[in-house]
mmCIF file of all heavy atoms in Angstrom:
data_model
loop_
_atom_site.group_PDB
_atom_site.id
_atom_site.type_symbol
_atom_site.label_atom_id
_atom_site.label_comp_id
_atom_site.label_asym_id
_atom_site.label_seq_id
_atom_site.Cartn_x
_atom_site.Cartn_y
_atom_site.Cartn_z
ATOM 1 N N SER A 204 18.026 11.192 22.139
ATOM 2 C CA SER A 204 18.283 11.671 20.779
ATOM 3 C C SER A 204 19.779 11.693 20.532
ATOM 4 O O SER A 204 20.563 12.022 21.434
ATOM 5 C CB SER A 204 17.714 13.085 20.588
ATOM 6 O OG SER A 204 16.325 13.101 20.825
ATOM 7 N N PHE A 205 20.176 11.349 19.307
ATOM 8 C CA PHE A 205 21.578 11.363 18.921
ATOM 9 C C PHE A 205 21.729 12.049 17.570
ATOM 10 O O PHE A 205 20.875 11.895 16.695
ATOM 11 C CB PHE A 205 22.148 9.937 18.813
ATOM 12 C CG PHE A 205 21.898 9.083 20.024
ATOM 13 C CD1 PHE A 205 21.193 7.892 19.904
ATOM 14 C CD2 PHE A 205 22.354 9.458 21.268
ATOM 15 C CE1 PHE A 205 20.959 7.084 20.995
ATOM 16 C CE2 PHE A 205 22.122 8.663 22.385
ATOM 17 C CZ PHE A 205 21.422 7.475 22.253
ATOM 18 N N SER A 206 22.814 12.786 17.414
ATOM 19 C CA SER A 206 23.139 13.377 16.118
ATOM 20 C C SER A 206 24.332 12.631 15.547
ATOM 21 O O SER A 206 25.449 12.710 16.075
ATOM 22 C CB SER A 206 23.466 14.867 16.272
ATOM 23 O OG SER A 206 22.320 15.590 16.647
ATOM 24 N N PHE A 207 24.075 11.878 14.473
ATOM 25 C CA PHE A 207 25.144 11.194 13.770
ATOM 26 C C PHE A 207 25.568 12.051 12.572
ATOM 27 O O PHE A 207 24.998 13.114 12.326
ATOM 28 C CB PHE A 207 24.678 9.809 13.337
ATOM 29 C CG PHE A 207 24.249 8.934 14.498
ATOM 30 C CD1 PHE A 207 22.994 8.336 14.515
ATOM 31 C CD2 PHE A 207 25.094 8.721 15.573
ATOM 32 C CE1 PHE A 207 22.595 7.536 15.575
ATOM 33 C CE2 PHE A 207 24.711 7.918 16.641
ATOM 34 C CZ PHE A 207 23.453 7.327 16.642
ATOM 35 N N SER A 208 26.535 11.605 11.804
ATOM 36 C CA SER A 208 27.091 12.454 10.740
ATOM 37 C C SER A 208 26.057 12.835 9.687
ATOM 38 O O SER A 208 26.067 13.956 9.180
ATOM 39 C CB SER A 208 28.268 11.737 10.064
ATOM 40 O OG SER A 208 27.843 10.498 9.504
ATOM 41 N N LYS A 209 25.133 11.935 9.355
ATOM 42 C CA LYS A 209 24.151 12.219 8.318
ATOM 43 C C LYS A 209 22.713 12.138 8.821
ATOM 44 O O LYS A 209 21.785 12.202 8.006
ATOM 45 C CB LYS A 209 24.328 11.228 7.154
ATOM 46 C CG LYS A 209 25.675 11.296 6.476
ATOM 47 C CD LYS A 209 25.760 10.262 5.353
ATOM 48 C CE LYS A 209 27.109 10.295 4.671
ATOM 49 N NZ LYS A 209 27.193 9.256 3.595
ATOM 50 N N LEU A 210 22.539 12.006 10.118
ATOM 51 C CA LEU A 210 21.206 11.679 10.624
ATOM 52 C C LEU A 210 20.988 12.212 12.022
ATOM 53 O O LEU A 210 21.880 12.140 12.877
ATOM 54 C CB LEU A 210 21.047 10.150 10.632
ATOM 55 C CG LEU A 210 19.712 9.596 11.116
ATOM 56 C CD1 LEU A 210 18.637 9.814 10.048
ATOM 57 C CD2 LEU A 210 19.830 8.112 11.428
ATOM 58 N N ASN A 211 19.804 12.753 12.241
ATOM 59 C CA ASN A 211 19.349 13.091 13.588
ATOM 60 C C ASN A 211 18.371 12.001 14.028
ATOM 61 O O ASN A 211 17.329 11.802 13.395
ATOM 62 C CB ASN A 211 18.657 14.450 13.604
ATOM 63 C CG ASN A 211 19.612 15.578 13.280
ATOM 64 O OD1 ASN A 211 20.660 15.713 13.888
ATOM 65 N ND2 ASN A 211 19.249 16.393 12.303
ATOM 66 N N TYR A 212 18.725 11.294 15.078
ATOM 67 C CA TYR A 212 17.937 10.144 15.543
ATOM 68 C C TYR A 212 17.189 10.494 16.825
ATOM 69 O O TYR A 212 17.761 11.083 17.749
ATOM 70 C CB TYR A 212 18.848 8.944 15.799
ATOM 71 C CG TYR A 212 18.131 7.785 16.444
ATOM 72 C CD1 TYR A 212 17.376 6.897 15.679
ATOM 73 C CD2 TYR A 212 18.190 7.588 17.820
ATOM 74 C CE1 TYR A 212 16.705 5.832 16.277
ATOM 75 C CE2 TYR A 212 17.532 6.531 18.426
ATOM 76 C CZ TYR A 212 16.784 5.659 17.656
ATOM 77 O OH TYR A 212 16.109 4.624 18.240
ATOM 78 N N ILE A 213 15.916 10.113 16.880
ATOM 79 C CA ILE A 213 15.090 10.381 18.054
ATOM 80 C C ILE A 213 14.390 9.092 18.462
ATOM 81 O O ILE A 213 13.636 8.513 17.679
ATOM 82 C CB ILE A 213 14.034 11.468 17.764
ATOM 83 C CG1 ILE A 213 14.705 12.766 17.340
ATOM 84 C CG2 ILE A 213 13.142 11.697 18.991
ATOM 85 C CD1 ILE A 213 13.740 13.815 16.776
ATOM 86 N N ASN A 214 14.662 8.641 19.681
ATOM 87 C CA ASN A 214 13.912 7.519 20.243
ATOM 88 C C ASN A 214 12.953 8.074 21.286
ATOM 89 O O ASN A 214 13.351 8.740 22.233
ATOM 90 C CB ASN A 214 14.831 6.478 20.881
ATOM 91 C CG ASN A 214 14.046 5.273 21.374
ATOM 92 O OD1 ASN A 214 13.898 5.065 22.564
ATOM 93 N ND2 ASN A 214 13.508 4.496 20.453
ATOM 94 N N LEU A 215 11.684 7.821 21.065
ATOM 95 C CA LEU A 215 10.647 8.418 21.891
ATOM 96 C C LEU A 215 10.501 7.716 23.236
ATOM 97 O O LEU A 215 10.732 6.512 23.347
ATOM 98 C CB LEU A 215 9.304 8.368 21.144
ATOM 99 C CG LEU A 215 9.279 9.048 19.777
ATOM 100 C CD1 LEU A 215 7.970 8.739 19.069
ATOM 101 C CD2 LEU A 215 9.467 10.554 19.916
ATOM 102 N N ALA A 216 10.078 8.464 24.222
ATOM 103 C CA ALA A 216 9.737 7.872 25.517
ATOM 104 C C ALA A 216 8.466 7.056 25.385
ATOM 105 O O ALA A 216 7.613 7.323 24.535
ATOM 106 C CB ALA A 216 9.540 8.976 26.554
ATOM 107 N N ALA A 217 8.343 6.065 26.233
ATOM 108 C CA ALA A 217 7.116 5.277 26.285
ATOM 109 C C ALA A 217 6.096 5.989 27.155
ATOM 110 O O ALA A 217 6.375 6.304 28.314
ATOM 111 C CB ALA A 217 7.398 3.892 26.848
ATOM 112 N N PHE A 218 4.920 6.256 26.602
ATOM 113 C CA PHE A 218 3.856 6.870 27.398
ATOM 114 C C PHE A 218 3.553 6.011 28.623
ATOM 115 O O PHE A 218 3.210 6.538 29.686
ATOM 116 C CB PHE A 218 2.598 7.035 26.541
ATOM 117 C CG PHE A 218 1.485 7.770 27.217
ATOM 118 C CD1 PHE A 218 1.372 9.145 27.109
ATOM 119 C CD2 PHE A 218 0.542 7.087 27.979
ATOM 120 C CE1 PHE A 218 0.345 9.835 27.749
ATOM 121 C CE2 PHE A 218 -0.488 7.765 28.618
ATOM 122 C CZ PHE A 218 -0.589 9.140 28.500
ATOM 123 N N ALA A 219 3.713 4.707 28.505
ATOM 124 C CA ALA A 219 3.428 3.801 29.620
ATOM 125 C C ALA A 219 4.316 4.078 30.822
ATOM 126 O O ALA A 219 3.920 3.833 31.964
ATOM 127 C CB ALA A 219 3.612 2.347 29.174
ATOM 128 N N CYS A 220 5.516 4.608 30.584
ATOM 129 C CA CYS A 220 6.471 4.804 31.674
ATOM 130 C C CYS A 220 6.251 6.109 32.429
ATOM 131 O O CYS A 220 6.394 6.160 33.656
ATOM 132 C CB CYS A 220 7.892 4.782 31.120
ATOM 133 S SG CYS A 220 8.369 3.181 30.431
ATOM 134 N N ASN A 221 5.944 7.179 31.694
ATOM 135 C CA ASN A 221 5.937 8.489 32.339
ATOM 136 C C ASN A 221 4.959 9.476 31.718
ATOM 137 O O ASN A 221 5.073 10.676 31.931
ATOM 138 C CB ASN A 221 7.351 9.095 32.295
ATOM 139 C CG ASN A 221 8.019 8.872 30.948
ATOM 140 O OD1 ASN A 221 7.349 8.930 29.910
ATOM 141 N ND2 ASN A 221 9.308 8.596 30.948
ATOM 142 N N GLN A 222 4.002 8.962 30.952
ATOM 143 C CA GLN A 222 2.951 9.775 30.332
ATOM 144 C C GLN A 222 3.505 10.881 29.436
ATOM 145 O O GLN A 222 2.904 11.954 29.300
ATOM 146 C CB GLN A 222 2.017 10.373 31.401
ATOM 147 C CG GLN A 222 1.098 9.361 32.044
ATOM 148 C CD GLN A 222 1.846 8.392 32.951
ATOM 149 O OE1 GLN A 222 2.362 8.803 33.972
ATOM 150 N NE2 GLN A 222 1.895 7.131 32.584
ATOM 151 N N ARG A 223 4.630 10.624 28.798
ATOM 152 C CA ARG A 223 5.190 11.592 27.859
ATOM 153 C C ARG A 223 4.614 11.370 26.461
ATOM 154 O O ARG A 223 4.506 10.251 26.001
ATOM 155 C CB ARG A 223 6.713 11.496 27.830
ATOM 156 C CG ARG A 223 7.389 12.164 29.026
ATOM 157 C CD ARG A 223 8.904 11.964 28.977
ATOM 158 N NE ARG A 223 9.594 12.839 29.911
ATOM 159 C CZ ARG A 223 9.730 12.603 31.212
ATOM 160 N NH1 ARG A 223 9.201 11.505 31.733
ATOM 161 N NH2 ARG A 223 10.366 13.446 31.999
ATOM 162 N N TYR A 224 4.261 12.482 25.827
ATOM 163 C CA TYR A 224 3.898 12.465 24.415
ATOM 164 C C TYR A 224 4.597 13.650 23.758
ATOM 165 O O TYR A 224 5.242 14.453 24.434
ATOM 166 C CB TYR A 224 2.379 12.503 24.219
ATOM 167 C CG TYR A 224 1.689 13.773 24.677
ATOM 168 C CD1 TYR A 224 1.379 14.781 23.777
ATOM 169 C CD2 TYR A 224 1.350 13.971 26.012
ATOM 170 C CE1 TYR A 224 0.741 15.944 24.178
ATOM 171 C CE2 TYR A 224 0.719 15.131 26.432
ATOM 172 C CZ TYR A 224 0.414 16.113 25.515
ATOM 173 O OH TYR A 224 -0.210 17.267 25.921
ATOM 174 N N PHE A 225 4.500 13.763 22.436
ATOM 175 C CA PHE A 225 5.378 14.680 21.722
ATOM 176 C C PHE A 225 4.606 15.492 20.686
ATOM 177 O O PHE A 225 3.573 15.064 20.172
ATOM 178 C CB PHE A 225 6.505 13.889 21.048
ATOM 179 C CG PHE A 225 7.342 13.122 22.031
ATOM 180 C CD1 PHE A 225 6.954 11.853 22.441
ATOM 181 C CD2 PHE A 225 8.479 13.666 22.579
ATOM 182 C CE1 PHE A 225 7.694 11.133 23.375
ATOM 183 C CE2 PHE A 225 9.230 12.971 23.518
ATOM 184 C CZ PHE A 225 8.831 11.700 23.910
ATOM 185 N N THR A 226 5.132 16.671 20.393
ATOM 186 C CA THR A 226 4.531 17.572 19.428
ATOM 187 C C THR A 226 5.555 17.964 18.376
ATOM 188 O O THR A 226 6.709 18.259 18.695
ATOM 189 C CB THR A 226 4.010 18.849 20.118
ATOM 190 O OG1 THR A 226 3.143 18.491 21.194
ATOM 191 C CG2 THR A 226 3.255 19.723 19.129
ATOM 192 N N VAL A 227 5.144 17.933 17.111
ATOM 193 C CA VAL A 227 6.017 18.301 16.003
ATOM 194 C C VAL A 227 6.019 19.819 15.835
ATOM 195 O O VAL A 227 4.960 20.439 15.703
ATOM 196 C CB VAL A 227 5.545 17.641 14.691
ATOM 197 C CG1 VAL A 227 6.366 18.138 13.506
ATOM 198 C CG2 VAL A 227 5.619 16.122 14.804
ATOM 199 N N LYS A 228 7.206 20.396 15.840
ATOM 200 C CA LYS A 228 7.348 21.840 15.638
ATOM 201 C C LYS A 228 8.538 22.100 14.728
ATOM 202 O O LYS A 228 9.298 21.193 14.397
ATOM 203 C CB LYS A 228 7.528 22.554 16.983
ATOM 204 C CG LYS A 228 6.313 22.479 17.895
ATOM 205 C CD LYS A 228 6.493 23.312 19.140
ATOM 206 C CE LYS A 228 5.249 23.273 20.021
ATOM 207 N NZ LYS A 228 5.395 24.072 21.257
ATOM 208 N N SER A 229 8.689 23.348 14.319
ATOM 209 C CA SER A 229 9.829 23.706 13.477
ATOM 210 C C SER A 229 10.495 24.951 14.035
ATOM 211 O O SER A 229 9.863 25.775 14.711
ATOM 212 C CB SER A 229 9.387 23.943 12.033
ATOM 213 O OG SER A 229 8.459 25.013 11.968
ATOM 214 N N THR A 230 11.791 25.100 13.735
ATOM 215 C CA THR A 230 12.530 26.287 14.117
ATOM 216 C C THR A 230 12.406 27.328 13.016
ATOM 217 O O THR A 230 11.781 27.104 11.980
ATOM 218 C CB THR A 230 14.016 25.948 14.328
ATOM 219 O OG1 THR A 230 14.580 25.560 13.063
ATOM 220 C CG2 THR A 230 14.173 24.795 15.323
ATOM 221 N N LYS A 231 13.036 28.468 13.215
ATOM 222 C CA LYS A 231 13.027 29.514 12.191
ATOM 223 C C LYS A 231 13.709 29.053 10.906
ATOM 224 O O LYS A 231 13.417 29.554 9.825
ATOM 225 C CB LYS A 231 13.724 30.775 12.729
ATOM 226 C CG LYS A 231 12.968 31.462 13.862
ATOM 227 C CD LYS A 231 13.708 32.695 14.347
ATOM 228 C CE LYS A 231 12.944 33.380 15.475
ATOM 229 N NZ LYS A 231 13.667 34.579 15.985
ATOM 230 N N ASP A 232 14.617 28.078 11.040
ATOM 231 C CA ASP A 232 15.320 27.539 9.873
ATOM 232 C C ASP A 232 14.620 26.318 9.302
ATOM 233 O O ASP A 232 15.206 25.580 8.497
ATOM 234 C CB ASP A 232 16.757 27.169 10.256
ATOM 235 C CG ASP A 232 17.551 28.375 10.734
ATOM 236 O OD1 ASP A 232 17.326 29.465 10.182
ATOM 237 O OD2 ASP A 232 18.369 28.226 11.648
ATOM 238 N N ASN A 233 13.380 26.102 9.726
ATOM 239 C CA ASN A 233 12.576 24.969 9.260
ATOM 240 C C ASN A 233 13.161 23.608 9.641
ATOM 241 O O ASN A 233 12.923 22.612 8.966
ATOM 242 C CB ASN A 233 12.360 25.019 7.743
ATOM 243 C CG ASN A 233 11.463 26.170 7.336
ATOM 244 O OD1 ASN A 233 10.581 26.576 8.097
ATOM 245 N ND2 ASN A 233 11.683 26.708 6.149
ATOM 246 N N GLU A 234 13.936 23.578 10.706
ATOM 247 C CA GLU A 234 14.419 22.298 11.219
ATOM 248 C C GLU A 234 13.331 21.665 12.101
ATOM 249 O O GLU A 234 12.549 22.366 12.746
ATOM 250 C CB GLU A 234 15.705 22.479 12.026
ATOM 251 C CG GLU A 234 16.898 22.940 11.198
ATOM 252 C CD GLU A 234 17.321 21.915 10.162
ATOM 253 O OE1 GLU A 234 17.136 20.704 10.408
ATOM 254 O OE2 GLU A 234 17.830 22.309 9.101
ATOM 255 N N LEU A 235 13.292 20.355 12.098
ATOM 256 C CA LEU A 235 12.280 19.628 12.856
ATOM 257 C C LEU A 235 12.643 19.593 14.335
ATOM 258 O O LEU A 235 13.779 19.296 14.706
ATOM 259 C CB LEU A 235 12.169 18.192 12.320
ATOM 260 C CG LEU A 235 11.222 17.243 13.057
ATOM 261 C CD1 LEU A 235 9.777 17.681 12.890
ATOM 262 C CD2 LEU A 235 11.404 15.815 12.539
ATOM 263 N N VAL A 236 11.657 19.874 15.172
ATOM 264 C CA VAL A 236 11.818 19.792 16.616
ATOM 265 C C VAL A 236 10.684 18.920 17.164
ATOM 266 O O VAL A 236 9.528 19.085 16.781
ATOM 267 C CB VAL A 236 11.757 21.188 17.283
ATOM 268 C CG1 VAL A 236 11.814 21.063 18.801
ATOM 269 C CG2 VAL A 236 12.891 22.067 16.773
ATOM 270 N N ILE A 237 11.031 17.986 18.026
ATOM 271 C CA ILE A 237 10.034 17.147 18.680
ATOM 272 C C ILE A 237 9.964 17.574 20.143
ATOM 273 O O ILE A 237 10.849 17.276 20.947
ATOM 274 C CB ILE A 237 10.393 15.655 18.577
ATOM 275 C CG1 ILE A 237 10.524 15.237 17.112
ATOM 276 C CG2 ILE A 237 9.348 14.797 19.287
ATOM 277 C CD1 ILE A 237 9.258 15.318 16.318
ATOM 278 N N ASP A 238 8.935 18.333 20.476
ATOM 279 C CA ASP A 238 8.765 18.845 21.835
ATOM 280 C C ASP A 238 8.153 17.781 22.740
ATOM 281 O O ASP A 238 7.199 17.100 22.376
ATOM 282 C CB ASP A 238 7.858 20.072 21.830
ATOM 283 C CG ASP A 238 8.646 21.368 21.704
ATOM 284 O OD1 ASP A 238 9.872 21.284 21.570
ATOM 285 O OD2 ASP A 238 8.024 22.437 21.723
ATOM 286 N N GLU A 239 8.688 17.669 23.928
ATOM 287 C CA GLU A 239 8.200 16.689 24.891
ATOM 288 C C GLU A 239 7.149 17.320 25.803
ATOM 289 O O GLU A 239 7.312 18.447 26.278
ATOM 290 C CB GLU A 239 9.372 16.172 25.722
ATOM 291 C CG GLU A 239 9.012 15.142 26.769
ATOM 292 C CD GLU A 239 10.213 14.672 27.533
ATOM 293 O OE1 GLU A 239 11.150 14.119 26.909
ATOM 294 O OE2 GLU A 239 10.241 14.856 28.771
ATOM 295 N N ASN A 240 6.062 16.584 26.010
ATOM 296 C CA ASN A 240 5.013 17.001 26.917
ATOM 297 C C ASN A 240 4.748 15.877 27.917
ATOM 298 O O ASN A 240 4.877 14.706 27.583
ATOM 299 C CB ASN A 240 3.710 17.286 26.164
ATOM 300 C CG ASN A 240 3.911 18.203 24.970
ATOM 301 O OD1 ASN A 240 4.025 19.402 25.104
ATOM 302 N ND2 ASN A 240 3.962 17.608 23.780
ATOM 303 N N ILE A 241 4.381 16.223 29.115
ATOM 304 C CA ILE A 241 3.980 15.236 30.107
ATOM 305 C C ILE A 241 2.509 15.426 30.392
ATOM 306 O O ILE A 241 2.069 16.513 30.801
ATOM 307 C CB ILE A 241 4.805 15.358 31.397
ATOM 308 C CG1 ILE A 241 6.292 15.146 31.101
ATOM 309 C CG2 ILE A 241 4.328 14.340 32.443
ATOM 310 C CD1 ILE A 241 7.195 15.297 32.305
ATOM 311 N N TYR A 242 1.719 14.395 30.165
ATOM 312 C CA TYR A 242 0.285 14.504 30.345
ATOM 313 C C TYR A 242 -0.080 14.375 31.817
ATOM 314 O O TYR A 242 0.298 13.425 32.485
ATOM 315 C CB TYR A 242 -0.453 13.434 29.553
ATOM 316 C CG TYR A 242 -1.963 13.531 29.717
ATOM 317 C CD1 TYR A 242 -2.658 14.590 29.145
ATOM 318 C CD2 TYR A 242 -2.653 12.612 30.489
ATOM 319 C CE1 TYR A 242 -4.022 14.714 29.312
ATOM 320 C CE2 TYR A 242 -4.030 12.729 30.662
ATOM 321 C CZ TYR A 242 -4.702 13.779 30.071
ATOM 322 O OH TYR A 242 -6.064 13.918 30.244
ATOM 323 N N VAL A 243 -0.791 15.381 32.291
ATOM 324 C CA VAL A 243 -1.308 15.378 33.660
ATOM 325 C C VAL A 243 -2.811 15.480 33.587
ATOM 326 O O VAL A 243 -3.344 16.467 33.064
ATOM 327 C CB VAL A 243 -0.721 16.546 34.484
ATOM 328 C CG1 VAL A 243 -1.295 16.523 35.890
ATOM 329 C CG2 VAL A 243 0.816 16.463 34.525
ATOM 330 N N GLU A 244 -3.487 14.481 34.077
ATOM 331 C CA GLU A 244 -4.954 14.488 34.038
ATOM 332 C C GLU A 244 -5.489 15.501 35.037
ATOM 333 O O GLU A 244 -5.065 15.556 36.199
ATOM 334 C CB GLU A 244 -5.483 13.098 34.381
ATOM 335 C CG GLU A 244 -6.984 12.991 34.239
ATOM 336 C CD GLU A 244 -7.477 11.578 34.514
ATOM 337 O OE1 GLU A 244 -6.632 10.690 34.772
ATOM 338 O OE2 GLU A 244 -8.699 11.373 34.488
#
Side-chain angles (χ1 to χ4, degrees):
S204 301
F205 309 121
S206 292
F207 301 126
S208 59
K209 299 179 181 179
L210 181 74
N211 294 307
Y212 173 82
I213 301 169
N214 184 251
L215 303 171
F218 185 90
C220 295
N221 42 37
Q222 288 70 67
R223 282 177 167 81
Y224 65 97
F225 300 86
T226 307
V227 174
K228 294 186 178 180
S229 61
T230 66
K231 293 180 180 179
D232 299 324
N233 291 330
E234 294 295 330
L235 176 67
V236 175
I237 302 295
D238 268 3
E239 180 179 300
N240 310 281
I241 300 178
Y242 180 70
V243 179
E244 185 177 358

